Amino acid sequence: MAFMVKTMVGGQLKNLTGGLGSKEEKSDGEKSAAEAQGMTREEYEEYQKQLLEEKMEREAMYTQRKAERATLRSHFRDKYRLPKSDVDEAQIQLAGGDVELPKELAKMIEEDNEEEEGRSSVIGQLSNIQNIDLDSIKGKAQSTLDDLKQSAEKCTVM
């Protein structure tokens, strides 16, 4: 009971007096953070330093991932001619500017580009049209090409 009264009133008195008492007047209930953790002061400082380094590593990895995603989004914006985003550009710059996509994402984009190239070619467009025999068209084109080669060989000018 006395402890509760002391903590309730003691905290209020410290606030009122502004903590004018010396810091050496610690009671048994008040300990430093290191003593509360059961460590020496040096161990506690090393522990805090390690926590800070881990936090910085996590933040760096998080920033890198955000930049990779921003790079992917900007790639698709370029591909589909959408307006650029300042937020994505800022995230890429924050990560150092030179961000590479993860291998899986780069592989997916490469496959998409190959499909797009196949669709954009003449044969790709013809495959979209139904009821056309592509094999016969390819055969006719090949035979025409062979005929042209033979006539070019017979040409006396060349």
Side-chain angles (χ1 to χ4, degrees):
M1 181 75 174
F3 174 72
M4 289 186 60
V5 171
K6 183 178 179 184
T7 44
M8 292 173 69
V9 176
Q12 298 293 335
L13 284 176
K14 271 191 179 177
N15 289 341
L16 185 63
T17 59
L20 293 175
S22 67
K23 295 189 180 213
E24 295 177 317
E25 297 177 4
K26 289 184 178 179
S27 65
D28 295 335
E30 297 178 12
K31 294 182 179 180
S32 69
E35 292 172 350
Q37 295 282 334
M39 300 180 207
T40 64
R41 185 176 192 164
E42 293 82 24
E43 290 174 340
Y44 185 73
E45 288 174 0
E46 183 67 29
Y47 173 72
Q48 290 296 327
K49 190 176 185 180
Q50 184 181 9
L51 285 177
L52 184 63
E53 288 174 1
E54 289 174 0
K55 182 180 178 185
M56 290 174 62
E57 287 176 16
R58 282 193 309 271
E59 288 177 357
M61 287 176 41
Y62 180 69
T63 303
Q64 181 68 24
R65 285 189 183 138
K66 285 177 72 174
E68 289 172 355
R69 292 182 192 121
T71 303
L72 183 67
R73 286 191 299 270
S74 66
H75 167 75
F76 283 121
R77 282 193 178 97
D78 290 342
K79 181 178 179 180
Y80 296 112
R81 297 182 184 107
L82 298 172
K84 293 187 177 188
S85 172
D86 295 333
V87 175
D88 287 344
E89 296 296 325
Q91 286 177 347
I92 292 170
Q93 292 299 323
L94 190 65
D98 187 26
V99 180
E100 292 186 15
L101 292 175
K103 292 179 182 178
E104 301 89 23
L105 292 177
K107 186 185 255 185
M108 287 173 48
I109 290 173
E110 185 177 321
E111 289 172 359
D112 284 346
N113 287 342
E114 289 174 3
E115 287 178 14
E116 290 289 327
E117 288 173 5
R119 289 185 200 148
S120 65
S121 69
V122 174
I123 295 177
Q125 292 296 326
L126 290 176
S127 66
N128 290 339
I129 301 173
Q130 295 179 355
N131 300 328
I132 290 184
D133 187 18
L134 284 179
D135 293 330
S136 65
I137 292 175
K138 285 181 184 178
K140 289 177 184 178
Q142 189 65 35
S143 65
T144 306
L145 188 62
D146 291 339
D147 291 341
L148 285 174
K149 284 182 183 178
Q150 288 176 358
S151 64
E153 289 175 0
K154 294 177 184 178
C155 182
T156 58
V157 175
M158 297 183 90

